[in-house]
Every structure is written in C-alpha cells, then in structure tokens.
Amino acid sequence: MATDDIVVGVIGAVAKSDGLNPSEVDFVLAEYMDPEVLETLGDMEDGVWELTFRVSDHQVRITHDGAIFVNGVKQGADTARQK
C-alpha cells in the first residue's frame, strides 16, 4: 500500500459523505489530523487498532482493516487500505 492511501481514503470518505468529489472539499486534513500519523497506522502490517477524530463537522473512525466511517456510516471498500 502506498503511504498516502489512508489519507486519500479519509478525504474521499468525508467528501462522499457530503456528496462531493474529493477535489471539492473545503478543508485541509492536516488542520485536523497529522497525515503522518494516519500513514504510520496505514502501514502497520499487524495489530488491531482504531482511531477516531473530527474533521470539520464530521466524526471519522478508521479501523485496522481499512474501514472508514464518517458520522457512523461506513464509506465503502475503496477506503484506507486494501490487501
């Protein structure tokens, strides 16, 4: 997995929840969450983890298996990480 896949996944998931394309979002992810933290978690091969944080007016939850939830709704299989 490329290290930025999880970052792109989060941006895409939040955009999707707002009915937007990722290029249309009006936030900078780094203002809410350090992208390096997300990349480090996304690169982990083993372990079980879950991270919840806020982006703008959304609650984002990412799980170790690559699932991304925005406001409690799973945003699809094309999210953070695929093996």
Side-chain angles (χ1 to χ4, degrees):
M1 171 181 85
T3 58
D4 64 346
D5 284 354
I6 194 166
V7 173
V8 171
V10 168
I11 293 169
V14 173
K16 181 179 176 182
S17 76
D18 284 339
L20 301 171
N21 290 320
S23 62
E24 298 175 314
V25 298
D26 63 351
F27 65 86
V28 176
L29 184 60
E31 293 177 0
Y32 297 93
M33 170 57 65
D34 184 344
E36 289 184 24
V37 171
L38 297 177
E39 291 168 359
T40 298
L41 287 172
D43 287 341
M44 290 179 60
E45 294 293 325
D46 296 322
V48 176
W49 56 266
E50 182 176 301
L51 176 67
T52 302
F53 58 98
R54 295 203 61 81
V55 172
S56 188
D57 59 346
H58 299 287
Q59 179 177 312
V60 177
R61 181 170 55 101
I62 307 170
T63 63
H64 66 279
D65 60 357
I68 298 177
F69 299 81
V70 178
N71 301 324
V73 178
K74 189 173 182 180
Q75 293 300 313
D78 60 337
T79 55
R81 180 168 131 171
Q82 299 178 12
K83 288 191 173 193

Coordinates of all heavy atoms in Angstrom, one line a residue:
M1 N 0.8 -1.2 0.0 CA 0.0 0.0 0.0 C 0.9 1.2 0.0 O 1.8 1.3 0.8 CB -0.9 0.0 1.2 CG -1.6 1.3 1.4 SD -2.7 1.3 2.9 CE -1.5 1.8 4.1
A2 N 0.6 2.2 -0.8 CA 1.3 3.5 -0.8 C 0.9 4.2 0.5 O -0.2 4.1 1.0 CB 0.9 4.3 -2.0
T3 N 1.9 4.9 1.0 CA 1.7 5.5 2.3 C 0.6 6.6 2.3 O 0.0 6.9 3.4 CB 3.0 6.2 2.9 OG1 3.4 7.2 1.9 CG2 4.0 5.1 3.1
D4 N 0.2 7.2 1.2 CA -0.8 8.2 1.2 C -2.2 7.6 1.0 O -3.2 8.4 1.0 CB -0.5 9.3 0.3 CG -0.5 8.8 -1.2 OD1 -0.5 7.6 -1.4 OD2 -0.5 9.7 -2.1
D5 N -2.4 6.3 0.8 CA -3.7 5.7 0.6 C -4.7 6.0 1.7 O -5.8 6.3 1.4 CB -3.6 4.2 0.4 CG -3.0 3.8 -1.0 OD1 -2.8 4.7 -1.8 OD2 -2.8 2.6 -1.2
I6 N -4.3 6.0 2.9 CA -5.2 6.2 4.0 C -5.6 7.6 4.1 O -6.8 8.0 4.3 CB -4.6 5.7 5.4 CG1 -5.6 5.6 6.4 CG2 -3.4 6.6 5.8 CD1 -5.2 4.9 7.7
V7 N -4.7 8.6 3.7 CA -5.0 10.0 3.7 C -6.0 10.3 2.6 O -7.1 10.9 2.8 CB -3.8 10.8 3.6 CG1 -4.1 12.3 3.4 CG2 -2.8 10.6 4.8
V8 N -5.8 9.7 1.4 CA -6.7 9.9 0.3 C -8.0 9.3 0.6 O -9.1 9.8 0.3 CB -6.1 9.3 -1.0 CG1 -7.1 9.2 -2.1 CG2 -4.8 10.0 -1.4
G9 N -8.0 8.1 1.3 CA -9.2 7.5 1.7 C -10.1 8.3 2.7 O -11.3 8.4 2.5
V10 N -9.5 8.9 3.6 CA -10.2 9.8 4.6 C -10.8 11.0 3.8 O -12.0 11.3 4.0 CB -9.3 10.2 5.7 CG1 -9.9 11.3 6.5 CG2 -8.9 9.1 6.6
I11 N -10.0 11.6 3.0 CA -10.5 12.8 2.3 C -11.7 12.3 1.4 O -12.7 13.0 1.3 CB -9.4 13.4 1.5 CG1 -8.4 14.1 2.4 CG2 -10.0 14.5 0.5 CD1 -7.1 14.5 1.7
G12 N -11.5 11.2 0.7 CA -12.6 10.7 -0.2 C -13.8 10.4 0.6 O -15.0 10.6 0.2
A13 N -13.7 9.7 1.8 CA -14.8 9.3 2.6 C -15.6 10.5 3.1 O -16.8 10.6 3.1 CB -14.4 8.5 3.7
V14 N -14.9 11.6 3.5 CA -15.6 12.8 4.0 C -16.3 13.5 2.9 O -17.4 13.9 3.0 CB -14.6 13.7 4.7 CG1 -15.3 15.0 5.1 CG2 -14.1 13.1 6.0
A15 N -15.6 13.5 1.7 CA -16.2 14.1 0.5 C -17.5 13.4 0.1 O -18.5 14.0 -0.1 CB -15.2 14.2 -0.6
K16 N -17.4 12.1 0.1 CA -18.5 11.2 -0.2 C -19.7 11.5 0.7 O -20.9 11.6 0.3 CB -18.1 9.8 -0.2 CG -19.3 8.8 -0.6 CD -18.8 7.4 -0.6 CE -19.9 6.4 -0.9 NZ -19.4 5.0 -0.9
S17 N -19.4 11.6 2.0 CA -20.5 11.8 3.0 C -21.2 13.2 2.7 O -22.4 13.3 3.1 CB -20.0 11.7 4.4 OG -19.2 12.9 4.7
D18 N -20.5 14.1 2.1 CA -21.1 15.4 1.8 C -21.6 15.5 0.4 O -22.1 16.5 -0.1 CB -20.0 16.5 2.0 CG -19.8 16.8 3.4 OD1 -20.6 16.5 4.3 OD2 -18.7 17.4 3.7
G19 N -21.5 14.4 -0.4 CA -22.0 14.4 -1.8 C -21.1 15.1 -2.7 O -21.5 15.7 -3.7
L20 N -19.8 15.2 -2.4 CA -18.8 15.9 -3.1 C -17.7 15.0 -3.7 O -17.6 13.9 -3.3 CB -18.1 17.0 -2.3 CG -18.9 18.0 -1.5 CD1 -18.1 18.8 -0.5 CD2 -19.6 18.9 -2.5
N21 N -17.0 15.5 -4.7 CA -15.8 14.9 -5.2 C -14.7 15.3 -4.2 O -14.7 16.4 -3.7 CB -15.5 15.3 -6.6 CG -16.4 14.8 -7.6 OD1 -16.9 13.6 -7.5 ND2 -16.8 15.6 -8.6
P22 N -13.6 14.5 -4.1 CA -12.5 14.8 -3.2 C -11.9 16.2 -3.5 O -11.5 16.9 -2.6 CB -11.5 13.7 -3.4 CG -12.4 12.5 -3.7 CD -13.5 13.1 -4.6
S23 N -11.9 16.6 -4.8 CA -11.3 17.9 -5.1 C -12.2 19.0 -4.7 O -11.7 20.2 -4.8 CB -11.1 17.9 -6.6 OG -12.3 17.8 -7.3
E24 N -13.4 18.8 -4.3 CA -14.3 19.8 -3.9 C -14.4 20.1 -2.4 O -15.1 21.0 -2.0 CB -15.7 19.5 -4.4 CG -15.8 19.4 -5.9 CD -17.2 18.9 -6.3 OE1 -17.8 17.9 -5.7 OE2 -17.7 19.5 -7.3
V25 N -13.6 19.4 -1.6 CA -13.7 19.6 -0.1 C -13.1 20.9 0.2 O -12.2 21.4 -0.4 CB -13.1 18.4 0.7 CG1 -13.7 17.1 0.4 CG2 -11.6 18.4 0.4
D26 N -13.7 21.5 1.3 CA -13.2 22.8 1.7 C -12.5 22.8 3.0 O -12.5 23.7 3.8 CB -14.4 23.8 1.8 CG -15.4 23.3 2.9 OD1 -15.3 22.2 3.4 OD2 -16.3 24.1 3.2
F27 N -11.7 21.7 3.3 CA -10.9 21.6 4.5 C -9.5 21.1 4.1 O -9.3 20.5 3.0 CB -11.6 20.6 5.5 CG -11.6 19.2 5.1 CD1 -10.6 18.3 5.2 CD2 -12.8 18.7 4.4 CE1 -10.7 17.0 4.8 CE2 -12.9 17.4 4.0 CZ -11.8 16.5 4.2
V28 N -8.6 21.3 5.0 CA -7.2 20.8 4.9 C -7.1 19.7 6.0 O -7.2 20.1 7.2 CB -6.2 21.9 5.0 CG1 -4.8 21.3 5.0 CG2 -6.4 22.9 3.9
L29 N -6.9 18.5 5.6 CA -6.9 17.4 6.6 C -5.8 17.7 7.7 O -6.1 17.4 8.9 CB -6.6 16.1 5.9 CG -6.7 14.8 6.8 CD1 -8.0 14.7 7.5 CD2 -6.3 13.6 6.0
A30 N -4.7 18.2 7.3 CA -3.6 18.4 8.3 C -4.0 19.4 9.4 O -3.4 19.4 10.4 CB -2.4 18.9 7.5
E31 N -5.1 20.2 9.2 CA -5.5 21.1 10.2 C -6.3 20.3 11.3 O -6.6 20.9 12.4 CB -6.4 22.2 9.6 CG -5.6 23.1 8.7 CD -6.5 24.2 8.1 OE1 -7.8 24.2 8.3 OE2 -6.0 25.0 7.3
Y32 N -6.7 19.1 11.0 CA -7.5 18.3 12.0 C -6.7 17.1 12.5 O -6.9 16.6 13.6 CB -8.8 17.8 11.3 CG -9.6 19.0 10.9 CD1 -9.6 19.5 9.7 CD2 -10.5 19.5 11.9 CE1 -10.4 20.6 9.3 CE2 -11.3 20.6 11.5 CZ -11.3 21.1 10.2 OH -12.1 22.2 9.9
M33 N -5.8 16.5 11.6 CA -5.1 15.3 12.0 C -3.8 15.3 11.2 O -3.8 15.6 10.0 CB -6.0 14.0 11.6 CG -5.2 12.7 11.7 SD -4.5 12.3 13.3 CE -6.0 12.1 14.3
D34 N -2.7 14.9 11.9 CA -1.4 14.8 11.3 C -1.4 13.7 10.3 O -1.6 12.5 10.7 CB -0.4 14.6 12.3 CG 1.0 14.6 11.8 OD1 1.2 14.4 10.6 OD2 2.0 14.7 12.6
P35 N -1.3 13.9 9.0 CA -1.3 12.9 8.0 C -0.2 11.8 8.2 O -0.4 10.7 7.9 CB -1.0 13.6 6.7 CG -1.4 15.0 6.9 CD -1.1 15.3 8.4
E36 N 0.9 12.2 8.8 CA 1.9 11.2 9.1 C 1.5 10.1 10.1 O 1.8 9.0 10.0 CB 3.2 11.9 9.6 CG 3.9 12.6 8.5 CD 5.2 13.2 9.0 OE1 5.8 12.7 10.0 OE2 5.7 14.2 8.4
V37 N 0.6 10.5 11.0 CA 0.0 9.6 12.0 C -0.8 8.6 11.2 O -0.7 7.4 11.4 CB -0.8 10.3 13.1 CG1 -1.6 9.3 13.9 CG2 0.1 11.1 14.0
L38 N -1.7 9.1 10.3 CA -2.5 8.2 9.5 C -1.7 7.3 8.7 O -2.0 6.1 8.5 CB -3.4 9.0 8.6 CG -4.4 9.9 9.4 CD1 -5.2 10.7 8.4 CD2 -5.4 9.1 10.2
E39 N -0.6 7.8 8.0 CA 0.2 7.0 7.2 C 0.9 5.9 8.0 O 1.0 4.7 7.5 CB 1.3 7.8 6.5 CG 0.6 8.8 5.4 CD 1.5 9.8 4.9 OE1 2.7 9.9 5.4 OE2 1.1 10.6 4.1
T40 N 1.4 6.2 9.2 CA 2.0 5.2 10.1 C 1.1 4.1 10.4 O 1.4 2.9 10.3 CB 2.6 5.9 11.3 OG1 3.6 6.9 11.0 CG2 3.2 4.9 12.3
L41 N -0.1 4.5 10.8 CA -1.1 3.5 11.1 C -1.5 2.6 9.8 O -1.6 1.4 9.9 CB -2.4 4.1 11.6 CG -2.3 4.6 13.0 CD1 -3.6 5.4 13.4 CD2 -2.1 3.5 14.0
G42 N -1.6 3.3 8.7 CA -1.9 2.6 7.5 C -0.9 1.6 7.0 O -1.1 0.6 6.4
D43 N 0.4 1.8 7.4 CA 1.5 1.0 7.1 C 1.7 -0.2 8.0 O 2.5 -1.1 7.7 CB 2.8 1.8 7.0 CG 2.9 2.7 5.8 OD1 2.1 2.5 4.8 OD2 3.7 3.6 5.8
M44 N 1.0 -0.2 9.1 CA 1.1 -1.3 10.1 C 0.6 -2.6 9.5 O -0.5 -2.7 9.0 CB 0.4 -1.0 11.4 CG 1.0 0.1 12.2 SD 0.1 0.5 13.7 CE 0.1 -1.1 14.5
E45 N 1.4 -3.6 9.5 CA 1.0 -4.9 9.0 C 0.3 -5.8 10.0 O -0.6 -6.6 9.6 CB 2.3 -5.7 8.5 CG 3.0 -5.0 7.3 CD 2.2 -5.1 6.0 OE1 1.5 -6.1 5.8 OE2 2.3 -4.1 5.3
D46 N 0.6 -5.6 11.2 CA 0.0 -6.4 12.3 C -0.7 -5.5 13.3 O -0.4 -4.3 13.4 CB 1.0 -7.3 13.0 CG 1.6 -8.3 12.0 OD1 0.9 -8.8 11.2 OD2 2.9 -8.5 12.1
G47 N -1.5 -6.1 14.1 CA -2.1 -5.4 15.2 C -3.5 -5.0 14.9 O -4.0 -4.9 13.8
V48 N -4.2 -4.7 16.0 CA -5.6 -4.2 15.9 C -5.6 -2.8 16.5 O -5.1 -2.6 17.6 CB -6.5 -5.2 16.7 CG1 -7.9 -4.6 16.7 CG2 -6.5 -6.6 16.2
W49 N -6.1 -1.9 15.7 CA -6.2 -0.5 16.2 C -7.4 0.1 15.6 O -8.0 -0.3 14.6 CB -5.0 0.3 15.8 CG -4.6 0.3 14.3 CD1 -3.8 -0.6 13.6 CD2 -5.2 1.2 13.3 NE1 -3.8 -0.3 12.3 CE2 -4.6 0.8 12.1 CE3 -6.0 2.2 13.3 CZ2 -4.9 1.4 10.9 CZ3 -6.4 2.9 12.2 CH2 -5.8 2.5 10.9
E50 N -7.8 1.2 16.2 CA -8.9 2.0 15.8 C -8.6 3.5 16.2 O -8.1 3.7 17.3 CB -10.2 1.6 16.5 CG -11.4 2.3 16.0 CD -12.7 1.7 16.7 OE1 -13.0 0.5 16.5 OE2 -13.4 2.5 17.4
L51 N -8.9 4.4 15.3 CA -8.7 5.8 15.5 C -9.9 6.6 15.2 O -10.5 6.4 14.1 CB -7.5 6.3 14.7 CG -7.2 7.8 14.7 CD1 -6.6 8.1 16.1 CD2 -6.2 8.2 13.7
T52 N -10.3 7.5 16.1 CA -11.5 8.3 15.9 C -11.0 9.8 16.1 O -10.3 10.1 17.0 CB -12.6 8.0 16.9 OG1 -13.0 6.7 16.8 CG2 -13.8 8.9 16.7
F53 N -11.4 10.6 15.2 CA -11.1 12.1 15.2 C -12.1 12.9 14.5 O -13.0 12.3 13.8 CB -9.7 12.3 14.7 CG -9.5 11.9 13.2 CD1 -9.6 12.8 12.2 CD2 -9.2 10.6 12.9 CE1 -9.4 12.4 10.9 CE2 -9.0 10.2 11.6 CZ -9.1 11.1 10.6
R54 N -12.1 14.2 14.6 CA -13.0 15.0 14.0 C -12.4 15.7 12.8 O -11.2 16.1 12.9 CB -13.6 16.1 14.9 CG -14.4 15.4 16.0 CD -15.4 16.2 16.7 NE -16.5 16.8 15.9 CZ -17.6 16.2 15.5 NH1 -17.7 14.9 15.8 NH2 -18.5 16.8 14.8
V55 N -13.1 15.9 11.7 CA -12.7 16.7 10.6 C -13.9 17.6 10.3 O -15.0 17.1 9.9 CB -12.4 15.8 9.3 CG1 -12.2 16.6 8.1 CG2 -11.2 14.9 9.6
S56 N -13.6 18.9 10.4 CA -14.7 19.8 10.2 C -15.9 19.5 11.1 O -15.7 19.3 12.3 CB -15.1 19.9 8.7 OG -16.0 20.9 8.5
D57 N -17.0 19.2 10.6 CA -18.2 18.9 11.4 C -18.5 17.4 11.3 O -19.6 16.9 11.6 CB -19.4 19.7 11.1 CG -19.8 19.5 9.6 OD1 -19.0 19.0 8.8 OD2 -21.0 19.9 9.3
H58 N -17.5 16.6 11.0 CA -17.7 15.1 10.9 C -16.8 14.3 11.9 O -15.7 14.8 12.2 CB -17.2 14.6 9.5 CG -18.0 15.3 8.4 ND1 -19.3 14.9 8.1 CD2 -17.7 16.2 7.5 CE1 -19.8 15.6 7.1 NE2 -18.8 16.4 6.7
Q59 N -17.4 13.2 12.3 CA -16.6 12.3 13.1 C -16.1 11.2 12.2 O -16.9 10.6 11.5 CB -17.4 11.7 14.3 CG -16.6 10.7 15.1 CD -17.4 10.1 16.2 OE1 -18.0 10.9 17.0 NE2 -17.3 8.8 16.4
V60 N -14.8 11.0 12.2 CA -14.2 10.0 11.3 C -13.6 8.9 12.2 O -12.9 9.2 13.2 CB -13.0 10.6 10.4 CG1 -12.4 9.6 9.6 CG2 -13.6 11.7 9.6
R61 N -13.9 7.6 11.8 CA -13.3 6.5 12.5 C -12.7 5.6 11.5 O -13.3 5.2 10.5 CB -14.4 5.7 13.3 CG -13.8 4.5 14.1 CD -14.8 4.0 15.1 NE -16.1 3.6 14.4 CZ -16.4 2.3 14.1 NH1 -15.6 1.3 14.3 NH2 -17.6 2.1 13.6
I62 N -11.4 5.2 11.7 CA -10.7 4.3 10.9 C -10.3 3.1 11.7 O -9.9 3.2 12.8 CB -9.4 5.0 10.3 CG1 -9.7 6.3 9.7 CG2 -8.7 4.1 9.4 CD1 -8.4 7.1 9.4
T63 N -10.4 1.9 11.1 CA -10.1 0.7 11.8 C -8.9 0.0 11.1 O -8.5 0.4 10.0 CB -11.3 -0.3 11.8 OG1 -11.6 -0.7 10.5 CG2 -12.5 0.3 12.5
H64 N -8.3 -0.9 11.8 CA -7.1 -1.6 11.3 C -7.2 -2.3 10.0 O -6.3 -2.5 9.3 CB -6.6 -2.6 12.4 CG -7.5 -3.7 12.6 ND1 -8.6 -3.6 13.4 CD2 -7.5 -5.0 12.0 CE1 -9.3 -4.8 13.3 NE2 -8.6 -5.6 12.5
D65 N -8.5 -2.7 9.7 CA -8.7 -3.4 8.4 C -9.0 -2.4 7.3 O -9.4 -2.9 6.2 CB -9.8 -4.4 8.6 CG -11.1 -3.8 9.0 OD1 -11.2 -2.6 9.3 OD2 -12.1 -4.6 9.2
G66 N -8.9 -1.1 7.5 CA -9.1 -0.2 6.4 C -10.4 0.4 6.2 O -10.7 1.2 5.4
A67 N -11.4 0.0 7.1 CA -12.7 0.6 7.1 C -12.7 2.1 7.5 O -12.0 2.4 8.5 CB -13.7 -0.2 7.9
I68 N -13.4 2.9 6.8 CA -13.5 4.3 7.2 C -15.0 4.6 7.4 O -15.8 4.4 6.5 CB -12.9 5.2 6.2 CG1 -11.4 5.0 6.0 CG2 -13.2 6.7 6.6 CD1 -10.8 5.8 5.0
F69 N -15.3 5.1 8.6 CA -16.7 5.5 8.9 C -16.7 7.0 9.1 O -15.8 7.6 9.7 CB -17.1 4.9 10.2 CG -17.1 3.4 10.2 CD1 -16.0 2.7 10.4 CD2 -18.3 2.7 10.0 CE1 -16.0 1.3 10.4 CE2 -18.3 1.3 10.0 CZ -17.2 0.6 10.2
V70 N -17.7 7.7 8.5 CA -17.9 9.1 8.7 C -19.3 9.3 9.3 O -20.3 8.8 8.8 CB -17.8 9.9 7.4 CG1 -18.1 11.3 7.6 CG2 -16.4 9.7 6.7
N71 N -19.3 9.9 10.5 CA -20.6 10.0 11.3 C -21.3 8.7 11.5 O -22.5 8.6 11.4 CB -21.5 11.0 10.6 CG -20.8 12.4 10.4 OD1 -20.1 12.8 11.3 ND2 -21.1 13.1 9.3
G72 N -20.5 7.6 11.7 CA -21.0 6.3 12.0 C -21.4 5.5 10.7 O -21.9 4.4 10.9
V73 N -21.2 6.0 9.5 CA -21.6 5.3 8.3 C -20.4 4.9 7.6 O -19.5 5.7 7.3 CB -22.5 6.3 7.4 CG1 -22.8 5.5 6.1 CG2 -23.7 6.7 8.1
K74 N -20.3 3.6 7.3 CA -19.1 3.0 6.6 C -19.2 3.6 5.2 O -20.2 3.6 4.5 CB -19.2 1.5 6.6 CG -17.9 0.9 6.0 CD -17.9 -0.6 6.2 CE -16.6 -1.2 5.7 NZ -16.6 -2.6 5.9
Q75 N -18.0 4.0 4.7 CA -18.0 4.7 3.4 C -17.5 3.9 2.2 O -17.3 4.4 1.2 CB -17.1 5.9 3.5 CG -17.6 7.0 4.4 CD -19.0 7.5 3.9 OE1 -19.2 7.8 2.8 NE2 -19.9 7.6 4.8
G76 N -17.4 2.6 2.4 CA -17.2 1.7 1.2 C -15.8 1.0 1.3 O -14.9 1.3 2.1
A77 N -15.6 0.1 0.3 CA -14.4 -0.7 0.3 C -13.2 0.0 -0.3 O -12.1 -0.5 -0.2 CB -14.7 -2.0 -0.5
D78 N -13.4 1.1 -1.0 CA -12.3 1.8 -1.6 C -11.7 2.8 -0.7 O -11.2 3.9 -1.1 CB -12.8 2.5 -2.9 CG -13.9 3.5 -2.6 OD1 -14.6 3.4 -1.5 OD2 -14.1 4.4 -3.4
T79 N -11.6 2.5 0.6 CA -11.1 3.5 1.6 C -9.7 3.2 1.9 O -8.9 3.0 1.0 CB -12.0 3.4 2.8 OG1 -12.1 2.1 3.3 CG2 -13.4 3.9 2.5
A80 N -9.3 3.3 3.1 CA -8.0 3.5 3.6 C -7.0 2.4 3.1 O -5.9 2.7 2.7 CB -7.9 3.5 5.1
R81 N -7.3 1.2 3.2 CA -6.3 0.2 2.9 C -6.9 -1.1 2.3 O -7.9 -1.5 2.7 CB -5.7 -0.1 4.3 CG -4.6 -1.1 4.3 CD -4.0 -1.0 5.7 NE -3.9 -2.4 6.2 CZ -3.2 -2.7 7.3 NH1 -2.7 -1.7 8.0 NH2 -3.1 -3.9 7.7
Q82 N -6.2 -1.6 1.4 CA -6.6 -2.8 0.7 C -5.5 -3.8 0.7 O -4.4 -3.4 0.4 CB -7.2 -2.6 -0.7 CG -8.4 -1.7 -0.7 CD -8.9 -1.4 -2.1 OE1 -8.5 -2.1 -3.0 NE2 -9.8 -0.4 -2.2
K83 N -5.7 -5.1 1.0 CA -4.6 -6.0 0.9 C -4.8 -7.0 -0.3 O -5.9 -7.2 -0.7 CB -4.5 -6.8 2.2 CG -4.0 -6.0 3.3 CD -3.7 -6.9 4.5 CE -3.0 -6.0 5.5 NZ -2.4 -6.8 6.5

